[in-house]
Amino acid sequence: MKSLSTGDYIVFLVYFLIVACYGYWIYRRKHNADATSKDYFLAEGSLTWWAIGASLIASNISAEQFVAMSGNGFTMGLAISTYEWMAALTLIIVAVFFIPVYLKNKIFTMPQFLHQRYNSTVAMIMAVFWLLLYVIVNLTSILYLGAIAINGISGIDFKLCIAGLAIFAIIITLGGMKVIGYTDVIQVFFLILGGLVTTYIAVTKVGEYYGHPGLLNGMSDMYSHANDHFQMILKKENKSYGDLPGLTVLIGGMWIVNLNYWGCNQYITQRALGANLNTARSGILFAAFLKLLMPLIVVLPGIAAYILYKENVFNADMTGSITANHDNAYPVLLNLLPTGVKGLAFAALTAAVVASLAGKANSIATIFTLDIYKKKIRKDATDHQLVVVGKITVVVAMILGVAISPFLGIDKKGGFQFIQEYTGFVSPGIFAMFILGFFWKKASSNAALFATIGGFAFSVFFKFLPKVVDLTSLAASGFSYKSAESGLYEIPFLDRMGFVFVICIAGMVIISLIDAAKGKETNGLEIDAKMFKTSNAFAVGAMLVCGILVALYTIFW
């Protein structure tokens, strides 16, 4: 039944009061009337390593994981965990190679990096790209999927759910990055605790159904009754191959997805840009360990729901809800939880959504205020005026997200895949521009423009290529598969990203060499090999993460 008991509401109210009161206390304790705009947007120098790590995870884990990734766990199984586990390794790479470059060159926003490294034209084009992406794809999908989940567990009207999430997120965001960063620690606590409790109950219910009570027995039953859902590398005949095409998840487009997301994304890197190098690295390493844990919380429940659905354990309404949209698997599962625990899971889900919304809204405000308003609209704006504009931007962005989210067809594509594929239109070009901008001084502004515009154009071209070209010949090579929806052969979007990235890199190199031959100067960044040296403690932690990943992929290959 879609309803919460009095006990559930009490648990949720406790969560809400803790977050609200702690956030207000942080705001009063750390608020300074003379605070600069960088202090408001970045919490410059005030976040600890554990706050940075927790905030990274809280901002990253949202409805697309709890709802949409559980939905993918229902349909394709553990393989979707590659986004989480590969992210752990990616975070280490970002901590070692990307963050030192940003901090050494005093980079505070991603458009600022592009302006400093290339020119104002590239920076402005990408600032607009990012704003559109964050509002139209990310903010809307988080709101929509979050509302689906909360409606599914509580029965509260869908429109009220969206509005409530937006208002809660606005309240936190208006306090600035300090409030977001420190309240995210509490959000992560509820997120992990509620998520683990939900997983425990879901897995034990599987065991109980087969007459084997207990967590370990439930895991054993899940593995034996849904063995095809415990494979990390999908074979071509798997119906989900188009989303996760075999080894591409280890050696292809998945690297572009993760390195672009974790290393070239204002929404994420913003947490570390206000800290010193050691603190930033420690926080990112902490986040890497938490990423290893995430599939237990967001994927296993989806697999458990698949087994219970297959065995007709759910009632007719629940079964119909999942049949209509696999993203309903997690909300349906939550309705099996006992009083109190259901409220805790509700709080965890809300924490994930609100923290992610707050982080996204803050990044939208930062890019618009510092990279568009300050540079193009009012160059003489004071810090106080910039903070006011940032707060207004938060409210406007959230209203836009609420207004357009129901009309994007997020439910038809599947929430998580919707975000990945549409973000993937710009990811290859952005990553090519950043990686060459970091480590190759000859990379020119003309080359960056090619990656910016050409990368998007090629992504669209490869997306619609199957509509005009017969790709059956590519099927044998593994670079094409037959879509169940259209009946046409398509190039998997992770492979498309790989193709576009190679084209962007090659194009940038050629254009940059031509510009160099013409004597055009470039703005190389300040880089010193010593920047990339890590502490012994960080090295040990990084090796431990890598060892765990090798073990996981070996077991579930």
Side-chain angles (χ1 to χ4, degrees), residues 431-484:
F431 183 54
M433 185 167 45
F434 269 75
I435 202 73
L436 288 185
F438 282 151
F439 304 114
W440 192 44
K441 291 188 176 182
K442 289 185 179 181
S444 67
S445 56
N446 286 332
L449 278 174
F450 167 77
T452 302
I453 300 172
F456 177 76
F458 277 110
S459 293
V460 173
F461 172 74
F462 282 120
K463 166 68 175 175
F464 295 105
L465 181 64
K467 305 289 188 280
V468 294
V469 177
D470 184 6
L471 295 180
T472 54
S473 58
L474 284 177
S477 64
F479 289 123
S480 177
Y481 76 105
K482 194 168 187 178
S483 170

Side-chain angles (χ1 to χ4, degrees), residues 139 170 173-174 361 365 389-401:
L139 201 66
I170 286 172
T173 311
L174 293 183
V389 169
K391 291 180 178 181
I392 293 172
T393 304
V394 167
V395 176
V396 171
M398 207 67 73
I399 291 173
L400 285 173

Side-chain angles (χ1 to χ4, degrees), residues 84-98:
E84 303 300 305
W85 287 342
M86 291 297 286
L89 184 55
T90 302
L91 279 164
I92 292 172
I93 294 172
V94 169
V96 175
F97 296 106
F98 286 40

